[in-house]
Coordinates of all heavy atoms in Angstrom, one line a residue:
G1 N 43.0 147.6 34.0 CA 43.5 146.5 34.7 C 42.6 146.0 35.7 O 41.5 146.7 36.0
G2 N 42.8 144.9 36.4 CA 42.0 144.5 37.5 C 42.2 143.1 37.8 O 43.2 142.4 37.5
L3 N 41.3 142.5 38.6 CA 41.4 141.1 39.1 C 40.3 140.4 38.4 O 39.2 140.7 38.3 CB 41.1 141.0 40.6 CG 40.9 139.7 41.2 CD1 42.3 138.8 41.1 CD2 40.5 139.8 42.7
V4 N 40.8 139.2 37.8 CA 39.8 138.3 37.1 C 40.1 136.9 37.3 O 41.3 136.6 37.6 CB 39.9 138.7 35.5 CG1 41.2 138.3 35.0 CG2 38.8 138.1 34.8
Q5 N 39.2 136.0 37.2 CA 39.4 134.6 37.3 C 39.9 134.0 36.1 O 39.8 134.6 35.0 CB 38.1 133.9 37.7 CG 37.7 134.1 39.1 CD 36.4 133.3 39.5 OE1 35.7 132.9 38.6 NE2 36.3 133.0 40.7
A6 N 40.7 132.9 36.2 CA 41.3 132.2 35.0 C 40.1 131.9 34.1 O 39.1 131.5 34.4 CB 41.9 130.9 35.4
G7 N 40.5 132.2 32.8 CA 39.5 132.0 31.7 C 38.7 133.3 31.4 O 38.0 133.3 30.3
G8 N 38.8 134.3 32.2 CA 38.1 135.5 32.0 C 38.8 136.4 31.0 O 39.8 136.1 30.4
S9 N 38.3 137.6 30.9 CA 38.7 138.6 29.9 C 38.9 140.0 30.5 O 38.2 140.3 31.5 CB 37.8 138.7 28.7 OG 37.6 137.5 28.0
L10 N 39.8 140.7 30.0 CA 40.0 142.2 30.4 C 40.4 142.9 29.1 O 41.0 142.3 28.2 CB 41.1 142.3 31.4 CG 40.8 142.0 32.8 CD1 42.0 142.1 33.7 CD2 39.7 142.9 33.4
R11 N 40.1 144.2 29.1 CA 40.5 145.0 28.0 C 41.3 146.2 28.6 O 40.8 147.0 29.4 CB 39.4 145.5 27.1 CG 39.9 146.3 25.8 CD 38.8 146.6 24.8 NE 38.3 147.9 25.2 CZ 37.8 148.7 24.2 NH1 37.8 148.4 22.9 NH2 37.2 149.9 24.6
L12 N 42.5 146.4 28.2 CA 43.4 147.5 28.5 C 43.3 148.6 27.4 O 43.2 148.3 26.3 CB 44.9 147.1 28.7 CG 45.1 145.9 29.7 CD1 46.6 145.7 29.8 CD2 44.5 146.1 31.0
S13 N 43.4 149.8 28.0 CA 43.5 150.9 27.0 C 44.6 151.9 27.4 O 45.0 151.9 28.5 CB 42.1 151.8 27.1 OG 41.0 151.0 26.8
C14 N 45.2 152.5 26.3 CA 46.4 153.4 26.6 C 46.1 154.6 25.6 O 46.1 154.3 24.4 CB 47.6 152.7 26.4 SG 49.1 153.8 26.3
T15 N 46.1 155.8 26.2 CA 45.9 157.0 25.3 C 47.2 157.8 25.4 O 47.7 158.1 26.4 CB 44.7 157.8 25.8 OG1 43.5 157.0 25.7 CG2 44.5 159.1 24.9
A16 N 47.6 158.2 24.2 CA 48.8 159.0 24.1 C 48.4 160.5 24.0 O 47.4 160.8 23.3 CB 49.7 158.6 22.9
S17 N 49.3 161.4 24.5 CA 49.0 162.8 24.4 C 50.4 163.6 24.4 O 51.4 162.9 24.7 CB 48.2 163.4 25.6 OG 48.8 163.1 26.8
G18 N 50.3 164.8 24.1 CA 51.6 165.6 24.0 C 52.0 165.7 22.6 O 51.3 165.7 21.6
S19 N 53.4 165.5 22.4 CA 54.0 165.7 21.0 C 53.9 164.3 20.3 O 54.9 163.7 20.3 CB 55.3 166.2 21.1 OG 55.4 167.5 21.8
I20 N 52.8 163.9 19.8 CA 52.5 162.6 19.4 C 52.6 162.5 17.9 O 52.5 161.4 17.3 CB 51.2 162.1 19.8 CG1 50.0 163.0 19.3 CG2 51.2 161.9 21.3 CD1 48.7 162.5 19.7
F21 N 52.8 163.6 17.1 CA 52.9 163.5 15.7 C 54.1 162.7 15.3 O 55.2 162.9 15.8 CB 53.1 164.9 15.1 CG 53.1 164.9 13.6 CD1 52.0 164.7 12.9 CD2 54.3 165.0 12.9 CE1 52.0 164.7 11.5 CE2 54.4 164.9 11.6 CZ 53.2 164.8 10.8
G22 N 53.9 161.7 14.5 CA 54.9 160.9 14.0 C 55.1 159.5 14.7 O 55.9 158.7 14.3
I23 N 54.3 159.3 15.8 CA 54.3 158.0 16.4 C 53.9 156.9 15.4 O 52.9 157.0 14.8 CB 53.4 158.0 17.7 CG1 54.1 158.8 18.8 CG2 53.1 156.6 18.1 CD1 53.3 158.9 20.0
N24 N 54.6 155.9 15.3 CA 54.3 154.7 14.5 C 53.9 153.5 15.3 O 52.7 153.2 15.5 CB 55.4 154.4 13.5 CG 55.1 153.2 12.6 OD1 53.9 153.0 12.4 ND2 56.1 152.6 12.1
V25 N 54.8 152.9 16.0 CA 54.6 151.7 16.8 C 54.1 152.0 18.1 O 54.7 152.8 18.8 CB 55.8 150.8 16.8 CG1 55.5 149.5 17.6 CG2 56.3 150.5 15.4
M26 N 53.0 151.4 18.6 CA 52.6 151.3 20.0 C 52.5 149.9 20.4 O 52.3 149.0 19.6 CB 51.3 152.1 20.1 CG 51.4 153.6 19.7 SD 49.8 154.4 20.2 CE 49.9 154.5 21.9
G27 N 52.7 149.7 21.7 CA 52.7 148.4 22.1 C 52.5 148.2 23.6 O 52.3 149.2 24.4
W28 N 52.4 146.9 24.0 CA 52.2 146.6 25.4 C 53.3 145.6 25.9 O 53.7 144.7 25.1 CB 50.8 145.9 25.6 CG 49.6 146.8 25.4 CD1 48.9 146.9 24.3 CD2 49.1 147.6 26.5 NE1 47.9 147.8 24.5 CE2 48.0 148.3 25.8 CE3 49.3 147.8 27.8 CZ2 47.1 149.2 26.5 CZ3 48.5 148.7 28.5 CH2 47.5 149.4 27.9
Y29 N 53.8 145.9 27.0 CA 54.8 145.0 27.7 C 54.2 144.7 29.1 O 53.3 145.3 29.5 CB 56.1 145.8 27.9 CG 56.9 145.9 26.6 CD1 56.4 146.9 25.6 CD2 58.1 145.3 26.3 CE1 57.1 147.0 24.4 CE2 58.7 145.5 25.1 CZ 58.3 146.4 24.2 OH 58.9 146.5 23.0
R30 N 54.8 143.6 29.7 CA 54.4 143.3 31.0 C 55.6 142.9 31.9 O 56.6 142.4 31.3 CB 53.3 142.2 31.0 CG 53.8 140.9 30.4 CD 52.6 139.9 30.3 NE 53.1 138.6 29.9 CZ 52.3 137.6 29.6 NH1 51.0 137.8 29.7 NH2 52.7 136.4 29.2
Q31 N 55.4 143.0 33.2 CA 56.5 142.6 34.1 C 55.8 141.9 35.3 O 55.1 142.5 36.0 CB 57.3 143.8 34.5 CG 58.6 143.4 35.3 CD 59.5 144.6 35.5 OE1 59.2 145.8 35.3 NE2 60.8 144.2 35.8
A32 N 56.1 140.7 35.4 CA 55.7 139.9 36.6 C 56.7 140.0 37.7 O 57.9 140.3 37.5 CB 55.5 138.4 36.2
P33 N 56.2 139.8 39.0 CA 57.2 139.9 40.1 C 58.4 139.0 39.9 O 58.3 137.8 39.5 CB 56.3 139.4 41.3 CG 55.0 139.7 40.9 CD 54.9 139.5 39.4
G34 N 59.6 139.6 40.1 CA 60.8 138.8 40.0 C 61.3 138.5 38.5 O 62.3 137.8 38.4

């Protein structure tokens, strides 16, 4: 994550660990203030 100007780009990464055998769907959600 970070700060970027409109029109710019960012790449998010998420790494899973632990008891991960069998994971099928992974996804991204977001929550804006309010």
